[in-house]
Amino acid sequence: QCVEHRGAGEPYLPVLAALGGLARQPSGRPLIPLLARQAPTWVAQMPWLLSDDELETVHRRLIGATRERMLRAMLETLEAVSRELTLVLVLEDLHWCDPSTVDLLDALARRREPARLLVVGTYRRSDAVRQDHPVHRLTRELRGRGLCTEIAVGPLSGEAVAEYVEARLGSDASPDISGLLRERTGGNPLFVTSLLDSW
């Protein structure tokens, strides 16, 4: 989840959050020693995953670390992980992400080595265009090279809103609620969810 920052965002924050979440799960535990070995610059950003001794070892490996090394280490690590597990990396609200995350997405899309890795990113195109955010330029360039697919998502139909209301409130929900939600929100999924949450 990318978050809106008033100042400079922390480099790679959404990817670090995703990796940290994965590493905390029992199935993701093997990721921790792999990160410590192959991507010490990354695991150093998540010190809570390591014991004090492990963290000290990682800090010794950080000598001479550069931004380029951090990017290269993550590419190699994701490839190594994808040899053992199929990875789906979902990044939301990329119109708020930091430039480093855009660089990582660019590098992942251009890799030629096979990997069982799918990156799904969401962003509000209008916000990205208005802010002249690098993610808009990246998607345009990658689309032109056939390295990504962009799926524009429109507003929810009246039927889709009704299905969502029924899933949330049960089959006893009044059809009037669905119609009112569709009318007030224009079918925007975020607004539908928010308005129903505050109902």
Side-chain angles (χ1 to χ4, degrees):
Q1 177 69 54
C2 303
V3 293
E4 189 173 14
H5 291 279
R6 299 296 174 236
E10 181 181 344
Y12 305 109
L13 181 60
V15 182
L16 286 166
L19 287 172
L22 177 61
R24 285 188 189 99
Q25 297 175 17
S27 62
R29 294 275 185 230
L31 180 62
I32 299 170
L34 178 68
L35 283 168
R37 188 174 59 255
Q38 287 197 211
T41 53
W42 284 77
V43 79
Q45 306 300 312
M46 301 176 281
W48 52 88
L49 295 176
L50 303 171
S51 69
D52 289 344
D53 290 342
E54 291 169 328
L55 192 57
E56 187 177 325
T57 301
V58 163
H59 280 290
R60 283 197 300 268
R61 299 188 69 209
L62 294 180
I63 297 169
T66 63
R67 185 173 175 269
E68 292 76 16
R69 177 178 157 194
M70 190 172 187
L71 179 61
R72 193 171 57 251
M74 184 44 54
L75 293 173
E76 298 293 334
T77 301
L78 289 174
E79 282 179 15
V81 171
S82 75
R83 286 197 278 288
E84 303 297 321
L85 302 166
T86 299
L87 288 178
V88 179
L89 179 60
V90 180
L91 301 172
E92 295 188 81
D93 294 325
L94 285 169
H95 54 278
W96 288 331
C97 77
D98 61 281
S100 297
T101 298
V102 175
D103 290 343
L104 177 61
L105 293 173
D106 187 24
L108 283 170
R110 294 171 192 274
R111 296 286 283 192
R112 297 290 180 219
E113 292 76 6
R116 295 184 303 168
L117 170 66
L118 173 66
V119 178
V120 178
T122 68
Y123 75 103
R124 287 199 295 264
R125 190 171 195 271
S126 59
D127 287 2
V129 170
R130 188 179 68 250
Q131 299 167 13
D132 193 30
H133 194 281
V135 76
H136 173 62
R137 292 189 299 274
L138 176 64
T139 54
R140 198 173 54 215
E141 183 179 328
L142 294 179
R143 223 179 31 248
R145 294 174 179 236
L147 296 175
C148 82
T149 301
E150 189 173 34
I151 302 170
V153 179
L156 296 173
S157 66
E159 295 79 23
V161 172
E163 284 178 28
Y164 179 70
V165 168
E166 184 175 335
R168 288 278 308 270
L169 303 180
S171 56
D172 296 335
S174 166
D176 295 341
I177 294 173
S178 302
L180 186 60
L181 276 174
R182 176 67 173 87
E183 179 185 320
R184 294 262 173 98
T185 63
N188 181 306
L190 177 62
F191 297 158
V192 169
T193 303
S194 299
L195 200 54
L196 194 56
D197 286 346
S198 64
W199 198 273

